[in-house]
């Protein structure tokens, strides 16, 4: 069995989409995998309530409490370790998790740490992706599921989806269009990855 640990900071809609797909597609039987916990670095992340309503255990590791990035990550790794063993290795899924991770943390989960980024990487790594795509005059925008490496938003691309940028789009309208695709490609990419780890 593989344990899927989902890290969030915000609304958790990708997390919910992954959990819903895992149930619908019976990942336990088909892939030997289950979502075991949702961890947020923000106690007020609305996604925590969503996770509780789904019936998932939740946890908070508030980054502001720690003196350094390393100290925060050490605690985060401790919480993940509860679900990470030789028999039950954890796949760590970043779903709107808004903390940059150090190379040391990333190395700890090499091959089993993934992220979704709201742009067609390698275009628009970093923040404000939708506004930057609009400002650049892009006709297409989208989202990318990628492996997490020490180089921010630069790991191997596992899946992508494109949507049109429409006349009059704002960052919000474009983000909403991209998000509907995120909810499809992220669960699918995780399912594919589970077959390989
Ligand atoms: C998504 O757009 C994701 O690509 C980005 O942050 C957003 C998270 O949304 N990394 P949600 O919390 O999954 O609703």
């Amino acid at each position: 069995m593989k344990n899927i640990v989902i890290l969030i900071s915000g609304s958790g809609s990708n997390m919910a989409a992954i959990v819903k797909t895992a149930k619908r597609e019976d990942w336990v039987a088909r892939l030997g995998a289950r979502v075991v916990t949702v961890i947020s670095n923000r106690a007020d992340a609305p996604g925590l309530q969503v996770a509780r309503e789904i019936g998932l255990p939740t946890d908070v590791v508030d980054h502001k409490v720690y003196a350094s990035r390393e100290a925060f990550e050490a605690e985060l790794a401790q919480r993940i370790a509860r679900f990470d063993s030789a028999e039950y290795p954890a796949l760590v899924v970043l779903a709107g998790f808004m903390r940059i991770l150090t190379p040391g943390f990333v190395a700890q989960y090499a091959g089993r740490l993934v992220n979704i980024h709201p742009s067609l990487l390698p275009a628009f790594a970093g923040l404000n992706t939708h506004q930057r795509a609009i400002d650049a005059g892009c006709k297409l925008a989208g989202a990318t599921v990628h492996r997490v490496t020490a180089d921010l938003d630069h790991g191997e691309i596992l899946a992508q989806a494109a949507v049109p940028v429409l006349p009059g789009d704002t960052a919000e309208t474009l983000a909403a269009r991209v998000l509907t695709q995120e909810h499809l490609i992220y669960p699918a990419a995780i399912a594919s990855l589970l077959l390989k780890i």
Side-chain angles (χ1 to χ4, degrees), residues 8-15 94-98 115-119 130 143 175 178-179 182-183:
I8 66 166
S9 302
S11 60
S13 70
N14 277 291
M15 175 273 297
L94 310 182
F97 184 68
M98 300 303 286
N115 182 43
I116 188 157
H117 182 77
S119 78
H130 304 298
V178 170
L179 200 57
E182 294 186 35
H183 296 165

Side-chain angles (χ1 to χ4, degrees), residues 3 6 10 23 47 49 60 65 74 127 133 158 166 187:
N3 283 338
I6 305 182
K23 277 196 185 135
Q49 184 55 30
V60 175
V65 170
L127 297 173
L158 300 174
L166 299 177

